[in-house]
């Protein structure tokens, strides 16, 4: 149970506080409701590049990192399709330094041409390091493009190509800042050894006088229902073949989300999950298997990703996956399997609650999907999932016409 | 309206100590460390054995052995065990280190009575069934094949092989053929010779049940293991190389510089850690500032210190666009030479010290962070209570100490230099 209080400032900034006196630290987590889905398809990668630019310094603070390091703190950030999340880990006595820094860059970011030029180079090296120079690193470029026709999940957060990142100008960045980095588009969560009243007072002190310039955000478009199977074969410098099946599923806030999540765990989480136990251990068909959901704010994906064991073909891999899915659609899951997954979630959540960083991120995240209480209530939602719901979702989800199939092969196999 | 031009006031006198932990000794001789947190629902138990890769008689033996311990015991199949753990939402971890072996059980407190006996049974009476070992060998070999497609992995392996020697336990590289050559008997041999409950230590963290010590003691009493562990002397074959290696990926080259250092408890260890921070150990480091934030040559560049029980090494790592590889190498050497010839400015030194003290707080943030910290000391044969003196050591370190460390250990001529690319 995570006890917390939440408030909204008059400028629209959402503030959430959770007091945990057992920690010597405090977390200041600032979430902006902007991600790569808010980009234009001709200039992708700007949300993530902008995350880098947020460390450029601001009107009253030349360097973001230095003052934080000086008081014993550190920070990091991540961007995904839906959100950009910044966090500071700091000795709790010095929390005000983090609020000073975060507030200054929310309102007074100072971008120079040089900052933009350098960070574009850094991000292109990140593109190289994490996508182009890594085996299977560009898989999600192919998956996103194949699975989405209209919705702006059609490109990964890093961007469609390095050229898109290169094309971003300082003016583009400033426009992005003006549109999305507004108090009304942000949630700040504070956890750790700071009493709630003090947290609210300090946030009010540093952010309270900001005016909101909220502009109307464009609608994100609607993904049409998939009606036929899509396939793609990719060749690259990879050591073994790989197959991925992706099936469209509902957004995170849909009540069926919990059923999808449990279903992915029954199939692929842990040594006793169906795919792992039968086909990695007992029959040696796969050398690795991953089953997971993307859980995005918008239309999501249910993913099954397998690599064949030595001597097994991709066709055998695909047949095996479908054989198991057909069995699932016919027989469903057992009460025992469902209970096992629910039990593991209970432990997982209890463990997660031992970290003030996890708690800060979760509180802000749940607020971003519209319900902070989910941090405590989501287990009830998981608990309510029945075997008949699992069967219904299996039948709806795993059909030929809703399949997106990506095969990744070593370049030597290209005919 | 706050005064934004003035930084808020701050303190740097933190209480950096392990706080409420205690140790007791069982009648059977084992030490148990307790890190209680009654408000948690989770209990974590770590058991640590002071033997690992260094005690092998065959390459790959310790890792495969430890990873397959839970495949079956005298009284329970691995399948049955995994089902019971998963059904209770528990996590079992194992770690096969250079100098140690450890097993961990992380579970909701209420499930401990059901899980503790079977977990101990599994890790203390393994039988290594031949069929399961065959599967694990194949999986390990295929995983290795995937890893070797990464330039960074190729570079790391090359570096440690040169720093310690290609047959040294800290330096040798596992190859698929090593796994293929192992059988159940080899694993059982390793286990019987090296994993002895008489030599174990325990760390219990989180919500600690009242009679847990008694349960562990009972188990220790009835355990049959009698291993008398060999204490091999490690012989280092240090060599220096400067070479380029062909890698599978060519959008970027992986660059690794490195050299042999010293063991975990070495007198220079604490001063060198500060030097490492200044050079490449945190986001404000000189390498990050120069090569990422000023030149945009790379996404990551860092330097690290890795110390084991009896030896250690220092390395610098980066992935660089091919056209900037030469320039990056020159800049690294330039930064090292500055550290070898000039005292670090007071301001920079003050920031690094404060930053490090803040980092130490993250190591004691909660019972499970403390458990990891304790484990890190114990596996190196060191005393966790040394942690309580680190803050004072940091305060007392001088700029001259840092300069001396750089002169002593960072001679560019003594660095191995490896570049992996096309």
């Amino acid at each position: 149970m995570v006890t917390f209080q939440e408030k909204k400032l008059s400028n629209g900034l959402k503030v959430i506080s959770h007091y945990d006196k057992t920690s010597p630290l405090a977390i200041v987590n600032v979430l902006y409701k902007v991600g790569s889905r808010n980009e234009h398809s001709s200039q992708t990668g700007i949300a993530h590049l902008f995350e880098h630019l947020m460390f450029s310094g601001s009107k009253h603070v030349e360097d973001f990192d230095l003052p934080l390091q000086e008081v014993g703190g550190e920070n990091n950030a991540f961007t995904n399709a839906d959100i950009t999340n910044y966090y500071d880990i700091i000795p709790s006595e010095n929390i005000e330094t983090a609020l000073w820094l975060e507030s200054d860059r929310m309102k007074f970011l100072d971008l120079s041409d040089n900052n933009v030029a350098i960070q574009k180079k850094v991000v292109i090296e990140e593109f190289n390091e994490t996508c182009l120079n890594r085996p299977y690193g560009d898989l999600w470029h192919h998956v996103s493009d194949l699975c989405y026709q209209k919705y702006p999940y059609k490109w990964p957060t890093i961007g469609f190509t390095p050229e898109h990142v290169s094309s971003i100008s300082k003016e583009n960045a400033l426009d992005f800042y003006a549109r999305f980095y507004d108090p009304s588009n942000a949630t700040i969560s504070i956890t750790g050894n700071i009493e709630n009243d003090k947290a609210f007072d300090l946030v009010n002190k540093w952010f309270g006088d900001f005016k909101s310039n909220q502009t109307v955000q464009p609608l994100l478009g609607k993904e049409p229902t998939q009606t036929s199977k899509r396939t793609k074969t990719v060749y690259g410098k990879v050591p073994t073949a790989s197959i991925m099946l992706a099936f469209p599923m509902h957004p995170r806030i849909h009540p069926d989300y919990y059923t999808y999540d449990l279903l992915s765990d029954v199939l692929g989480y842990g040594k006793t999950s169906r795919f792992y136990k039968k086909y990695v251990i007992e029959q040696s068909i796969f050398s690795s298997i991953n089953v997971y959901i993307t859980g995005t704010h918008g239309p999501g994906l249910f993913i099954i990703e397998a690599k064949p064991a030595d001597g097994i073909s991709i066709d055998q891999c695909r047949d095996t996956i479908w054989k198991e899915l057909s069995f699932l659609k016919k027989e469903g899951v057992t009460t025992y399997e469902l209970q096992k997954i629910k039990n593991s979630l209970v432990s997982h959540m209890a463990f997660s609650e031992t970290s003030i960083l996890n708690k800060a991120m979760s509180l802000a995240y749940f607020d971003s999907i519209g319900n902070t209480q989910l941090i405590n209530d989501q287990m009830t939602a998981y608990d309510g999932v029945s075997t008949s719901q699992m069967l219904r979702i299996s039948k709806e989800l795993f059909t030929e016409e809703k399949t997106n199939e990506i095969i990744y092969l070593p370049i030597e196999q290209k005919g | 309206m706050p005064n934004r031009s003035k930084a808020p006031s701050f303190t740097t006198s933190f209480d950096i100590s392990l706080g409420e932990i205690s140790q007791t000794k069982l009648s059977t001789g084992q030490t148990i460390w307790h890190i209680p947190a009654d408000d948690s629902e989770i209990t974590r138990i770590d058991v640590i054995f002071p033997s690992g890769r260094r005690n092998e008689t065959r390459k790959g033996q310790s890792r495969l052995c430890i990873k397959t311990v839970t495949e079956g015991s005298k009284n329970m199949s691995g399948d049955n065990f995994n089902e019971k753990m998963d059904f209770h939402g528990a996590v079992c971890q194992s770690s096969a280190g250079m100098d140690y072996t450890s097993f961990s059980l992380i579970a909701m407190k209420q499930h401990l009575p059901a899980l503790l006996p079977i977990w101990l049974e599994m890790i203390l009476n393994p039988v290594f069934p031949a069929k399961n070992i065959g599967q694990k060998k194949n999986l390990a070999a295929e995983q290795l094949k995937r890893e070797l497609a990464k330039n960074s992995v190729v570079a790391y392996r090359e570096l440690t092989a040169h720093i310690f020697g290609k047959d040294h336990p800290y330096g040798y590289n596992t190859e698929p053929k090593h796994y293929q050559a192992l059988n159940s008997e080899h694993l059982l041999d390793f286990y019987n010779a090296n994993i002895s409950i008489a030599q174990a230590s325990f760390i219990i963290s989180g919500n600690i049940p009242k009679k847990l010590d008694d349960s562990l003691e009972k188990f220790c009493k009835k355990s049959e293991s009698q291993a008398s562990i060999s204490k091999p002397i490690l012989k280092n074959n240090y060599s220096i190389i400067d070479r380029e290696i062909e890698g599978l990926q060519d959008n970027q080259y992986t660059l690794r510089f490195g050299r042999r250092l010293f063991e975990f408890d070495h007198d220079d260890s604490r001063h060198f850690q500060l030097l490492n921070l200044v050079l490449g150990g945190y986001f404000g480091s000189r390498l990050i500032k120069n090569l990422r934030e000023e030149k945009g040559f790379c996404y990551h560049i860092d330097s690290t210190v890795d110390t084991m029980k009896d030896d250690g090494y220092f390395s610098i790592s980066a992935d660089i666009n091919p056209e900037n590889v030469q320039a990056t190498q020159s800049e690294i050497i330039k930064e090292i030479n500055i550290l070898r010839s000039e005292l670090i400015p007071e301001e920079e030194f003050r920031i690094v010290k404060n930053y490090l003290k803040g980092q130490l707080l993250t190591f004691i943030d909660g019972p499970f962070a403390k458990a990891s910290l304790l484990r890190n000391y114990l596996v190196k044969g060191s005393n966790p209570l040394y942690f309580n003196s680190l803050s004072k050591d940091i305060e007392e370190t001088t700029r001259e100490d840092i300069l001396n460390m750089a002169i002593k250990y960072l001679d560019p001529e003594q660095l191995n230099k490896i570049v992996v690319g096309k």
Side-chain angles (χ1 to χ4, degrees), chain A residues 170-280:
Chain A
K170 188 175 117 181
E171 287 64 38
N172 298 144
L174 287 171
D175 175 58
F176 192 85
Y177 183 56
R179 284 201 290 144
F180 297 108
Y181 281 72
D182 187 88
S184 65
N185 202 39
T187 300
I188 176 162
S189 54
I190 293 179
T191 60
N193 205 346
I194 298 290
E195 290 180 36
N196 293 337
D197 286 348
K198 187 173 176 202
F200 289 126
D201 285 349
L202 286 173
V203 172
N204 201 38
K205 172 178 171 186
W206 289 101
F207 294 83
D209 59 352
F210 291 170
K211 297 279 178 288
S212 169
N213 297 316
Q214 193 186 22
T215 52
V216 179
Q217 304 305 337
L219 293 172
L220 293 163
K222 198 170 182 318
E223 182 64 13
T225 306
Q226 186 175 348
T227 53
S228 62
K229 182 178 177 182
R230 304 175 192 136
T231 60
K232 185 170 189 181
T233 301
V234 187
Y235 295 90
K237 291 175 214 154
V238 294
T240 58
S242 173
I243 178 171
M244 182 192 268
L245 300 181
F247 303 92
M249 58 171 258
H250 292 302
R252 173 63 181 82
I253 52 165
H254 194 281
D256 282 341
Y257 167 84
Y258 302 97
T259 313
Y260 292 115
D261 196 17
L262 291 170
L263 190 60
S264 71
D265 284 351
V266 166
L267 290 176
Y269 179 76
K271 286 180 179 171
T272 61
S273 61
R274 288 194 177 185
F275 275 123
Y276 191 85
K277 191 174 176 188
K278 278 193 207 168
Y279 305 114
V280 177

Side-chain angles (χ1 to χ4, degrees), chain A residues 104-143:
Chain A
D104 218 54
R105 70 175 173 180
M106 180 184 280
K107 201 66 182 173
F108 305 106
L109 188 69
D110 189 13
L111 283 188
S112 69
D113 289 321
N114 188 46
N115 286 142
V116 177
I118 295 279
Q119 289 309 316
K120 276 160 62 172
K121 285 173 80 175
V122 171
V123 167
I124 288 166
E125 290 311 317
E126 182 178 355
F127 206 130
N128 275 317
E129 190 175 321
T130 59
C131 300
L132 305 180
N133 211 46
R134 179 174 290 180
Y136 318 102
D138 63 350
L139 179 62
W140 272 93
H141 281 82
H142 300 291
V143 177

